[in-house]
Amino acid sequence: MQAILTTLDRRWRRSRHGFAPSHWKICLFLTANIVLLSALLFDWPVGANIKNMAPPIHFFGKMLTNFGESGWLILISAFLFFEGWAGSRLLQSARCRCQALRICQIGGYLLTTIALSGILANLLKRAIGRARPTYFQDWGPFGFSPFNGHAGFESFPSGHATTIGAFFVALAFLFPRYRYIFIACALWLAATRVMIGAHYPSDVIAGLALGGWFSFMMAIVYSRYGLLFRIGETSWPIPRLPLLKGK
């Protein structure tokens, strides 16, 4: 373990790349304003009409919304991490060991991204204590009861949307060729939290942004250690080696 920590520290010190200077302050400013505008413009009408949601829309949302539960994603990520680690130690072929090590790093990246962003989202939602749309008649869209301890007052940010944002943005960094498909999947799956009346639109947008930013920051950290990613010419993290070979 000491040897691993020493190697990682050496890699960090050797890396000359800092955090990507790619207008992140502008992106963060726009994200904050989009969340605020959605709260002011969309949360009230959504809360007022939540009981009148069309049955097909509610059914569609109910069918897909459980994808955002982090437990199964964490288990799969942990499985990839430990199986890849075991393979990198036990396989005979050097090529197979390298492939297993990459699988281990992918699992580690997904695991840390999803688990840590989920912990942060849960801490925030408990501290903020925003009432869910089911309490709209009594609390409205801007009712808050910090540290209430009841799930009905843990609306902002959406934990499911955070997990979805973290997972699909991580996939977008791992497989950049398909990033638009992953982003579309994230938007549709996160929107199911509004369709079933569990969250306001601003909760979902904030959750997606939180998970996405966490994936981005973890990719930067991994690139600094020379694991899985490197900093590309545009100062964004890209895979050190292509995970899917094109034709």
Side-chain angles (χ1 to χ4, degrees):
M1 178 62 70
Q2 183 62 37
I4 295 176
L5 294 176
T6 301
T7 301
L8 291 176
D9 180 68
R10 189 182 302 115
R11 288 186 174 187
W12 179 276
R13 295 176 184 275
R14 188 169 61 240
S15 176
R16 297 180 180 179
H17 296 288
F19 290 95
S22 50
H23 310 295
W24 68 268
K25 292 182 180 179
I26 296 176
C27 294
L28 186 60
F29 175 79
L30 290 175
T31 300
N33 279 274
I34 290 172
V35 171
L36 181 59
L37 284 171
S38 66
L40 295 175
L41 297 178
F42 303 123
D43 287 3
W44 192 281
V46 167
N49 295 281
I50 199 69
K51 294 182 179 180
N52 300 322
M53 185 72 67
I57 295 177
H58 184 84
F59 174 79
F60 176 81
K62 197 72 174 177
M63 184 174 57
L64 297 177
T65 195
N66 287 335
F67 184 93
E69 293 183 355
S70 60
W72 72 277
L73 289 172
I74 290 175
L75 286 176
I76 291 176
S77 301
F79 174 80
L80 291 175
F81 175 78
F82 287 110
E83 284 296 307
W85 178 82
S88 68
R89 295 299 184 94
L90 300 176
L91 293 174
Q92 299 297 323
S93 168
R95 184 168 179 267
C96 291
R97 288 199 303 271
C98 289
Q99 292 177 342
L101 185 59
R102 291 177 68 191
I103 293 174
C104 174
Q105 292 176 2
I106 291 172
Y109 172 57
L110 294 175
L111 180 62
T112 53
T113 297
I114 295 170
L116 294 179
S117 65
I119 292 173
L120 179 58
N122 278 281
L123 291 174
L124 288 173
K125 65 166 55 181
R126 284 165 173 75
I128 294 171
R130 188 186 193 186
R132 292 183 184 270
T134 50
Y135 293 92
F136 176 82
Q137 296 299 328
D138 297 324
W139 289 81
F142 302 111
F144 297 91
S145 180
F147 301 104
N148 183 285
H150 191 277
F153 293 88
E154 297 176 359
S155 189
F156 185 92
S158 166
H160 281 66
T162 300
T163 296
I164 290 169
F167 177 65
F168 281 104
V169 171
L171 291 182
F173 279 119
L174 290 169
F175 307 98
R177 176 174 296 184
Y178 306 101
R179 58 185 177 273
Y180 296 115
I181 296 176
F182 294 136
I183 291 173
C185 290
L187 292 174
W188 277 91
L189 289 171
T192 62
R193 302 305 291 165
V194 178
M195 296 177 187
I196 66 172
H199 288 283
Y200 292 103
S202 61
D203 301 333
V204 169
I205 294 173
L208 280 174
L210 177 62
W213 274 100
F214 214 96
S215 294
F216 171 69
M217 298 303 293
M218 289 304 299
I220 293 292
V221 172
Y222 271 64
S223 68
R224 287 293 302 270
Y225 282 115
L227 302 173
L228 197 59
F229 296 102
R230 63 181 176 85
I231 300 298
E233 295 178 357
T234 60
S235 297
W236 283 76
I238 60 175
R240 293 178 62 86
L241 294 172
L243 299 177
L244 291 178
K245 296 183 179 179
K247 295 181 180 180

PDB file of all heavy atoms in Angstrom, residues 24 30 52 63 81 89 114-116 138 214 220 223:
ATOM      1  N   TRP A  24     -14.622  27.398 -17.042  1.00  0.00           N
ATOM      2  CA  TRP A  24     -15.454  26.731 -16.055  1.00  0.00           C
ATOM      3  C   TRP A  24     -16.234  27.723 -15.204  1.00  0.00           C
ATOM      4  O   TRP A  24     -17.345  27.424 -14.753  1.00  0.00           O
ATOM      5  CB  TRP A  24     -14.603  25.817 -15.173  1.00  0.00           C
ATOM      6  CG  TRP A  24     -13.640  26.528 -14.262  1.00  0.00           C
ATOM      7  CD1 TRP A  24     -12.345  26.840 -14.520  1.00  0.00           C
ATOM      8  CD2 TRP A  24     -13.902  27.007 -12.940  1.00  0.00           C
ATOM      9  NE1 TRP A  24     -11.778  27.489 -13.457  1.00  0.00           N
ATOM     10  CE2 TRP A  24     -12.709  27.613 -12.468  1.00  0.00           C
ATOM     11  CE3 TRP A  24     -15.014  26.999 -12.110  1.00  0.00           C
ATOM     12  CZ2 TRP A  24     -12.610  28.194 -11.203  1.00  0.00           C
ATOM     13  CZ3 TRP A  24     -14.916  27.573 -10.849  1.00  0.00           C
ATOM     14  CH2 TRP A  24     -13.728  28.153 -10.408  1.00  0.00           C
ATOM     15  N   LEU A  30     -23.555  30.111 -15.505  1.00  0.00           N
ATOM     16  CA  LEU A  30     -24.747  29.797 -16.294  1.00  0.00           C
ATOM     17  C   LEU A  30     -25.587  28.721 -15.612  1.00  0.00           C
ATOM     18  O   LEU A  30     -26.825  28.806 -15.595  1.00  0.00           O
ATOM     19  CB  LEU A  30     -24.333  29.344 -17.688  1.00  0.00           C
ATOM     20  CG  LEU A  30     -23.747  30.414 -18.605  1.00  0.00           C
ATOM     21  CD1 LEU A  30     -23.272  29.795 -19.923  1.00  0.00           C
ATOM     22  CD2 LEU A  30     -24.769  31.510 -18.879  1.00  0.00           C
ATOM     23  N   ASN A  52     -52.485  16.658 -11.897  1.00  0.00           N
ATOM     24  CA  ASN A  52     -53.159  16.555 -13.196  1.00  0.00           C
ATOM     25  C   ASN A  52     -52.237  16.022 -14.282  1.00  0.00           C
ATOM     26  O   ASN A  52     -52.556  16.154 -15.469  1.00  0.00           O
ATOM     27  CB  ASN A  52     -53.683  17.939 -13.609  1.00  0.00           C
ATOM     28  CG  ASN A  52     -54.670  18.503 -12.607  1.00  0.00           C
ATOM     29  OD1 ASN A  52     -55.487  17.763 -12.048  1.00  0.00           O
ATOM     30  ND2 ASN A  52     -54.602  19.803 -12.361  1.00  0.00           N
ATOM     31  N   MET A  63     -41.872   4.011 -14.970  1.00  0.00           N
ATOM     32  CA  MET A  63     -41.201   2.849 -15.539  1.00  0.00           C
ATOM     33  C   MET A  63     -39.682   3.021 -15.563  1.00  0.00           C
ATOM     34  O   MET A  63     -38.935   2.049 -15.424  1.00  0.00           O
ATOM     35  CB  MET A  63     -41.729   2.612 -16.960  1.00  0.00           C
ATOM     36  CG  MET A  63     -41.185   1.385 -17.653  1.00  0.00           C
ATOM     37  SD  MET A  63     -42.006   1.088 -19.245  1.00  0.00           S
ATOM     38  CE  MET A  63     -41.700   2.654 -20.079  1.00  0.00           C
ATOM     39  N   PHE A  81     -14.226  -2.803 -10.488  1.00  0.00           N
ATOM     40  CA  PHE A  81     -12.974  -2.420  -9.834  1.00  0.00           C
ATOM     41  C   PHE A  81     -12.237  -3.644  -9.283  1.00  0.00           C
ATOM     42  O   PHE A  81     -11.046  -3.850  -9.572  1.00  0.00           O
ATOM     43  CB  PHE A  81     -13.262  -1.426  -8.715  1.00  0.00           C
ATOM     44  CG  PHE A  81     -12.058  -1.058  -7.899  1.00  0.00           C
ATOM     45  CD1 PHE A  81     -11.139  -0.152  -8.390  1.00  0.00           C
ATOM     46  CD2 PHE A  81     -11.839  -1.635  -6.660  1.00  0.00           C
ATOM     47  CE1 PHE A  81     -10.010   0.190  -7.642  1.00  0.00           C
ATOM     48  CE2 PHE A  81     -10.723  -1.301  -5.910  1.00  0.00           C
ATOM     49  CZ  PHE A  81      -9.803  -0.382  -6.400  1.00  0.00           C
ATOM     50  N   ARG A  89      -3.597  -8.841 -11.393  1.00  0.00           N
ATOM     51  CA  ARG A  89      -2.609  -9.552 -10.579  1.00  0.00           C
ATOM     52  C   ARG A  89      -2.470 -11.025 -10.968  1.00  0.00           C
ATOM     53  O   ARG A  89      -1.387 -11.595 -10.791  1.00  0.00           O
ATOM     54  CB  ARG A  89      -3.016  -9.467  -9.097  1.00  0.00           C
ATOM     55  CG  ARG A  89      -2.990  -8.071  -8.506  1.00  0.00           C
ATOM     56  CD  ARG A  89      -1.599  -7.482  -8.567  1.00  0.00           C
ATOM     57  NE  ARG A  89      -1.509  -6.183  -7.937  1.00  0.00           N
ATOM     58  CZ  ARG A  89      -1.150  -5.988  -6.669  1.00  0.00           C
ATOM     59  NH1 ARG A  89      -0.857  -7.032  -5.910  1.00  0.00           N
ATOM     60  NH2 ARG A  89      -1.092  -4.774  -6.183  1.00  0.00           N
ATOM     61  N   ILE A 114     -19.847   8.261  -8.569  1.00  0.00           N
ATOM     62  CA  ILE A 114     -21.251   8.057  -8.197  1.00  0.00           C
ATOM     63  C   ILE A 114     -21.432   8.084  -6.687  1.00  0.00           C
ATOM     64  O   ILE A 114     -22.364   8.723  -6.172  1.00  0.00           O
ATOM     65  CB  ILE A 114     -21.758   6.734  -8.797  1.00  0.00           C
ATOM     66  CG1 ILE A 114     -21.768   6.819 -10.330  1.00  0.00           C
ATOM     67  CG2 ILE A 114     -23.148   6.403  -8.278  1.00  0.00           C
ATOM     68  CD1 ILE A 114     -22.024   5.495 -11.018  1.00  0.00           C
ATOM     69  N   ALA A 115     -20.550   7.396  -5.964  1.00  0.00           N
ATOM     70  CA  ALA A 115     -20.706   7.317  -4.512  1.00  0.00           C
ATOM     71  C   ALA A 115     -20.497   8.674  -3.845  1.00  0.00           C
ATOM     72  O   ALA A 115     -21.309   9.103  -3.013  1.00  0.00           O
ATOM     73  CB  ALA A 115     -19.732   6.286  -3.943  1.00  0.00           C
ATOM     74  N   LEU A 116     -19.428   9.372  -4.203  1.00  0.00           N
ATOM     75  CA  LEU A 116     -19.128  10.639  -3.531  1.00  0.00           C
ATOM     76  C   LEU A 116     -20.126  11.729  -3.912  1.00  0.00           C
ATOM     77  O   LEU A 116     -20.529  12.541  -3.056  1.00  0.00           O
ATOM     78  CB  LEU A 116     -17.703  11.073  -3.866  1.00  0.00           C
ATOM     79  CG  LEU A 116     -16.593  10.172  -3.326  1.00  0.00           C
ATOM     80  CD1 LEU A 116     -15.222  10.697  -3.734  1.00  0.00           C
ATOM     81  CD2 LEU A 116     -16.682  10.056  -1.809  1.00  0.00           C
ATOM     82  N   ASP A 138     -49.450  23.028   0.912  1.00  0.00           N
ATOM     83  CA  ASP A 138     -49.146  23.576   2.234  1.00  0.00           C
ATOM     84  C   ASP A 138     -47.881  24.428   2.255  1.00  0.00           C
ATOM     85  O   ASP A 138     -47.808  25.420   2.993  1.00  0.00           O
ATOM     86  CB  ASP A 138     -48.997  22.439   3.254  1.00  0.00           C
ATOM     87  CG  ASP A 138     -50.282  21.655   3.433  1.00  0.00           C
ATOM     88  OD1 ASP A 138     -51.365  22.274   3.383  1.00  0.00           O
ATOM     89  OD2 ASP A 138     -50.201  20.422   3.586  1.00  0.00           O
ATOM     90  N   PHE A 214     -19.219  16.783 -10.786  1.00  0.00           N
ATOM     91  CA  PHE A 214     -18.404  15.861  -9.992  1.00  0.00           C
ATOM     92  C   PHE A 214     -17.644  14.905 -10.906  1.00  0.00           C
ATOM     93  O   PHE A 214     -16.464  14.606 -10.675  1.00  0.00           O
ATOM     94  CB  PHE A 214     -19.293  15.075  -9.021  1.00  0.00           C
ATOM     95  CG  PHE A 214     -18.615  14.759  -7.722  1.00  0.00           C
ATOM     96  CD1 PHE A 214     -18.783  15.564  -6.612  1.00  0.00           C
ATOM     97  CD2 PHE A 214     -17.786  13.646  -7.611  1.00  0.00           C
ATOM     98  CE1 PHE A 214     -18.137  15.275  -5.417  1.00  0.00           C
ATOM     99  CE2 PHE A 214     -17.145  13.350  -6.432  1.00  0.00           C
ATOM    100  CZ  PHE A 214     -17.325  14.169  -5.324  1.00  0.00           C
ATOM    101  N   ILE A 220     -10.497  15.077 -13.929  1.00  0.00           N
ATOM    102  CA  ILE A 220      -9.303  15.917 -13.808  1.00  0.00           C
ATOM    103  C   ILE A 220      -8.324  15.305 -12.804  1.00  0.00           C
ATOM    104  O   ILE A 220      -7.112  15.219 -13.051  1.00  0.00           O
ATOM    105  CB  ILE A 220      -9.681  17.341 -13.380  1.00  0.00           C
ATOM    106  CG1 ILE A 220     -10.462  18.055 -14.485  1.00  0.00           C
ATOM    107  CG2 ILE A 220      -8.440  18.139 -13.015  1.00  0.00           C
ATOM    108  CD1 ILE A 220      -9.663  18.373 -15.712  1.00  0.00           C
ATOM    109  N   SER A 223      -6.663  12.276 -14.235  1.00  0.00           N
ATOM    110  CA  SER A 223      -5.659  12.638 -15.241  1.00  0.00           C
ATOM    111  C   SER A 223      -4.373  13.124 -14.586  1.00  0.00           C
ATOM    112  O   SER A 223      -3.281  12.876 -15.103  1.00  0.00           O
ATOM    113  CB  SER A 223      -6.221  13.709 -16.180  1.00  0.00           C
ATOM    114  OG  SER A 223      -6.407  14.946 -15.513  1.00  0.00           O
TER     115      SER A 223
END
